[in-house]
Amino acid sequence: MGRTVGIDLGTTNSVVAVLDGGEPRVIPNAEGSHLTPSVVAFTKTGERLVGAPAKRQAIINPENTVYSIKRFMGRRLGEVEAERKIVPYKIVDGKNGMAVVEIQGRQYTPEEISAMILQKLKADAEAYLGDTVDKAVVTVPAYFNDAQRTATKNAGQIAGLEVLRIVNEPTAASLAYGLDKKENETILVYDLGGGTFDVSILEVGEGLFEVRATNGDTHLGGDDWDQQIVDYVADAFQRQTGIDLRKDRQALQRLREAAEKAKVELSSSVQTTISLPFITADQEGPKHLDEALSRARFEELTRDLVERTVGPFRSALADARLAEGDIDEIILVGGSTRMPMIQELVKRLGGGKEPHRGVNPDEVVAIGAAIQGGIIGGELKEVVLLDVTPLTLGIETLGGIVDKVVPRNTHIPHRTERIYTTAADGQTQVEVHVLQGEREMARDNKTLGQFMLTGIPPAPRGIPHIKVTFDIDRNGILNVAAQDEATGRQQSITITGSTNLPKEDIDKMVQEAQRYAQEDSRRREIADAKNRAEQMIYQTESYLRDLGDKVPVDLKNQITAQLANLREAQQSDDIERIRTAMDTLQQTTLRLGELVYQQAGAAAGGGQTSGAGQPPQGAEQEEVIEAEYKAE
Ligand code: ADP
Ligand code: MG
């Protein structure tokens, strides 16, 4: 079974995320970046490039470089006349009136182009995870119609991904912030990407998201901010040299890249320099570009662009029949919302309310998609319920029986202490074998860890008190410690990941346990009987030893024979035989018991009611000895 990922298939950039041990995580692509440009290029040599390599050669190979394919997904040619004029590649009429891309004489549907992007995301994710990826949750803008959603789903299928669900981008973003757990809240998502601007107003209650209104501008995004810098720098260069860099394709390509880089820098610093050596040349020789740009100047250059987002913001509120004050949460989505000028504007529009931060605005949608994938797959329910143990935790005791210490579904954090003892006389070490699972026998469960507690002073079996503590912290990390109470000697082991098993594993283990329940209980009965038999043998032997000559010879012989019989029965797996042998021996030793009391009564005057040699298994001790370790 392959993994499920969440994919933000963006107009400008795509992002893939996965739920990793319950935590959503963005997967870096083969180039090491979290963002994969949604660009596909066909080179002159027939090579197909996807992502950053395709973006890099866009300007020198414009007619064969497809970007913004999302604008054509599920659209008829008649619906995209405006878009068609902007892009440098050819958009033509497909067989059924749908818009298709034509490159080097071949037609590609937008689904096919998108599938090429998805294929790269899938391949990079598989390489990163070392696992197959065959299912995905893919996001789309809230305003996407049925045809656009179907096209997106088909793109996934072409790429070899089963699209479990198509989720609205603003919904995914809200999920990433855990807003699904809120009740009756109104959320505004302000999404400014590379080429599009979307405002969505959502109503959330009991985990259900309802889109109340959407608005925006399909031709407003980070690219426009870049263009302002390109124009500013090119104008300055032209004033100095008389050369218009915008007329030189390669120079323009370099300038665009430098402009975007400068813009990104100005989100965190207040000053930057755009420096492009050897940008062009004239009769006098090579020309270098060096232009300083301050954030203040940049903000002035792009003030109009910022203001253009205000209209759609207000319209969305009006459509939802809401006032500014009715918005409970504002979420910033899209790389362009990293710009301080946008953050200030949103704060102003939200009546001074701070928008949500903390999740990368250009990753938040993919993260939400991964979370949605986890909810569908059931994996996340375990995370939400991370506060319980999914399976029983215990330790192996005498006869390979599991002593269940922490039952499944126990709330964590949790702590249990139990006292165990030794199984053999003079035993100086015990092995703590920590197990997970529902089965009765140790060998049928999963070993989580094992350690030895050594240095126990030699003593008859059953005498040492070994305190074993199971401690599970808030994060599900299990610590098992064993301590010999007499000496204080202690050993412990820390086990991580005992609580976040994949759901399938858990279900499988629980089902198996049910299937084997009968067989297990029989095996447990056998083991129990053997343990009791062994205890009885030990006890009887020590009585005989203690009483010595006081036991009449015929009784002693009878007991010895019955002991041998029980020992033999104890070796078999025949419960009936063991029980019969035990019953017989018990009848005979009752007479031995009478003898002991008679002697105790006779010695009462001497004050010798008990001694060090008395059998250790008293009723009192049975209360603390809940199980015994198997002998080493
Ligand atoms: P889309 O949703 O359109 O695929 P993204 O959300 O990835 O796009 O946004 C891409 C845009 O965000 C680009 O224009 C990019 O330059 C811009 N961007 C990314 N990081 C920053 C930043 N730190 N400051 C300003 N703009 C940024
Ligand atoms: Mg986006």
Side-chain angles (χ1 to χ4, degrees):
M1 254 215 16
R3 301 276 294 260
T4 301
V5 292
I7 296 176
D8 170 10
L9 187 60
T11 307
T12 321
N13 295 302
S14 295
V15 184
V16 55
V18 70
L19 218 53
D20 194 1
E23 280 296 312
R25 188 186 305 283
V26 172
I27 300 176
N29 60 22
E31 292 78 41
S33 167
H34 281 190
L35 269 58
T36 300
S38 306
V39 185
V40 176
F42 302 84
T43 68
K44 304 258 157 31
T45 57
E47 213 187 335
R48 199 166 88 192
L49 303 173
V50 182
K55 185 183 178 186
R56 228 173 286 128
Q57 54 85 70
I59 286 218
I60 53 166
N61 185 27
E63 60 278 11
N64 300 317
T65 303
V66 185
Y67 63 87
S68 291
I69 192 63
K70 192 171 176 178
R71 297 180 184 276
F72 301 102
M73 289 287 276
R75 310 299 300 273
R76 307 185 68 81
L77 191 66
E79 293 172 315
V80 289
E81 280 306 333
E83 312 283 345
R84 192 185 174 191
K85 290 199 186 90
I86 299 166
V87 297
Y89 51 90
K90 239 197 242 166
I91 291 287
V92 299
D93 195 351
K95 278 180 227 81
N96 37 16
M98 302 302 282
V100 299
V101 179
E102 193 176 276
I103 300 259
Q104 296 163 349
R106 222 204 107 166
Q107 289 191 357
Y108 298 91
T109 60
E111 289 91 323
E112 282 177 279
I113 301 286
S114 294
M116 293 172 193
I117 300 164
L118 291 172
Q119 246 166 356
K120 173 179 166 56
L121 299 176
K122 178 180 188 279
D124 287 358
E126 287 178 337
Y128 179 80
L129 296 170
D131 206 346
T132 52
V133 170
D134 57 9
K135 291 179 286 304
V137 168
V138 184
T139 59
V140 296
Y143 58 76
F144 255 31
N145 63 28
D146 208 53
Q148 291 169 298
R149 285 167 197 260
T150 305
T152 305
K153 207 166 175 175
N154 291 341
Q157 219 155 43
I158 298 167
L161 289 167
E162 182 194 343
V163 178
L164 297 177
R165 196 159 304 173
I166 295 286
V167 178
N168 289 327
E169 287 162 12
T171 301
S174 312
L175 274 174
Y177 278 109
L179 296 182
D180 53 322
K181 287 167 204 81
K182 303 253 176 146
E183 297 231 332
N184 305 322
E185 281 218 329
T186 305
I187 303 167
L188 185 140
V189 179
Y190 180 106
D191 181 350
L192 188 61
T196 55
F197 169 58
D198 301 316
V199 193
S200 317
I201 294 173
L202 311 174
E203 205 78 63
V204 55
E206 289 165 6
L208 233 85
F209 288 89
E210 191 195 340
V211 179
R212 287 277 305 270
T214 66
N215 213 293
D217 185 336
T218 51
H219 292 284
L220 179 65
D223 296 348
D224 298 300
W225 270 258
D226 299 348
Q227 190 58 41
Q228 291 300 315
I229 299 180
V230 168
D231 284 336
Y232 171 76
V233 175
D235 284 346
F237 192 77
Q238 197 169 6
R239 273 197 305 276
Q240 290 155 22
T241 64
I243 302 168
D244 185 359
L245 292 174
R246 283 159 292 205
K247 295 219 166 83
D248 176 345
R249 264 190 186 180
Q250 295 209 20
L252 182 60
Q253 164 70 0
R254 284 181 66 196
L255 187 51
R256 279 224 177 119
E257 276 175 18
E260 189 186 0
K261 200 166 144 258
K263 172 189 74 175
V264 168
E265 269 169 27
L266 287 176
S267 288
S268 50
S269 55
V270 293
Q271 179 82 32
T272 186
T273 351
I274 296 142
S275 165
L276 293 163
F278 303 100
I279 186 76
T280 188
D282 62 9
Q283 307 89 302
E284 290 162 29
K287 292 263 176 285
H288 312 296
L289 185 153
D290 235 321
E291 196 64 42
L293 182 63
S294 68
R295 184 190 284 171
R297 185 92 190 85
F298 176 49
E299 291 184 349
E300 207 180 293
L301 289 171
T302 55
R303 179 155 299 148
D304 290 354
L305 295 175
V306 177
E307 285 306 314
R308 273 173 63 190
T309 71
V310 177
F313 188 104
R314 299 236 159 94
S315 299
L317 277 179
D319 289 349
R321 291 178 207 289
L322 294 171
E324 260 173 32
D326 299 332
I327 302 294
D328 298 306
E329 323 261 357
I330 298 181
I331 299 177
L332 293 180
V333 177
S336 301
T337 60
R338 287 232 178 99
M339 292 188 286
M341 61 181 109
I342 295 296
Q343 297 181 357
E344 278 154 32
L345 173 86
V346 173
K347 195 170 159 188
R348 200 184 83 210
L349 291 174
K353 192 178 183 64
E354 284 287 345
H356 270 273
R357 284 167 218 271
V359 181
N360 275 339
D362 38 16
E363 297 177 358
V364 67
V365 170
I367 284 177
I371 290 171
Q372 181 67 50
I375 293 171
I376 295 169
E379 185 185 350
L380 211 73
K381 229 166 56 218
E382 294 307 325
V383 176
V384 176
L385 296 176
L386 194 74
D387 48 343
V388 300
T389 53
L391 288 167
T392 299
L393 300 168
I395 59 175
E396 180 175 355
T397 60
L398 196 66
I401 296 176
V402 179
D403 183 42
K404 296 180 174 176
V405 181
V406 184
R408 68 188 296 253
N409 288 330
T410 297
H411 283 272
I412 60 172
H414 173 88
R415 189 184 163 91
T416 301
E417 265 181 29
R418 281 204 186 168
I419 306 293
Y420 295 88
T421 187
T422 49
D425 289 331
Q427 187 178 329
T428 57
Q429 58 179 37
V430 290
E431 184 185 33
V432 180
H433 183 186
V434 185
L435 295 149
Q436 180 178 48
E438 307 313 306
R439 304 281 297 272
E440 299 283 343
M441 306 304 290
R443 62 161 181 255
D444 297 322
N445 289 306
K446 187 177 170 221
T447 295
L448 290 182
Q450 249 159 319
F451 65 90
M452 287 282 198
L453 175 66
T454 55
I456 302 165
R461 61 186 245 155
I463 292 295
H465 272 198
I466 294 148
K467 185 171 80 190
V468 173
T469 312
F470 272 60
D471 209 329
I472 311 170
D473 74 7
R474 213 164 278 285
N475 301 314
I477 295 168
L478 168 67
N479 184 280
V480 180
Q483 185 178 37
D484 172 29
E485 290 196 333
T487 59
R489 282 182 83 98
Q490 188 170 327
Q491 267 305 318
S492 69
I493 188 171
T494 298
I495 298 151
T496 52
S498 63
T499 55
N500 52 12
L501 277 184
K503 186 171 185 304
E504 307 91 73
D505 286 13
I506 294 167
D507 289 348
K508 204 178 105 214
M509 288 166 102
V510 171
Q511 273 166 20
E512 229 168 57
Q514 282 162 358
R515 188 147 28 93
Y516 290 114
Q518 241 183 340
E519 195 186 314
D520 276 356
S521 73
R522 200 184 65 86
R523 287 220 301 257
R524 189 184 176 118
E525 260 180 72
I526 295 172
D528 270 342
K530 286 183 169 200
N531 287 348
R532 277 201 311 275
E534 210 204 307
Q535 216 167 319
M536 191 178 223
I537 293 167
Y538 174 88
Q539 212 166 357
T540 313
E541 280 173 343
S542 50
Y543 270 104
L544 283 180
R545 239 191 346 264
D546 291 347
L547 294 169
D549 299 344
K550 288 164 203 142
V551 185
V553 178
D554 61 330
L555 186 58
K556 190 170 183 169
N557 288 343
Q558 200 183 352
I559 289 173
T560 311
Q562 285 173 357
L563 264 176
N565 178 43
L566 179 58
R567 233 182 252 117
E568 219 173 275
Q570 203 253 355
Q571 296 302 313
S572 76
D573 275 356
D574 188 340
I575 297 188
E576 276 318 302
R577 193 174 154 202
I578 299 171
R579 281 186 185 152
T580 314
M582 282 174 75
D583 281 349
T584 318
L585 180 64
Q586 183 149 33
Q587 294 305 318
T588 319
T589 48
L590 276 180
R591 284 168 57 200
L592 195 63
E594 281 162 20
L595 215 79
V596 176
Y597 281 111
Q598 276 166 19
Q599 296 200 340
Q608 294 258 311
T609 51
S610 67
Q614 289 290 330
Q617 273 82 8
E620 181 200 349
Q621 206 148 8
E622 245 164 39
E623 274 174 22
V624 288
I625 300 165
E626 295 189 39
E628 293 180 327
Y629 279 101
K630 63 174 189 207
E632 284 317 309

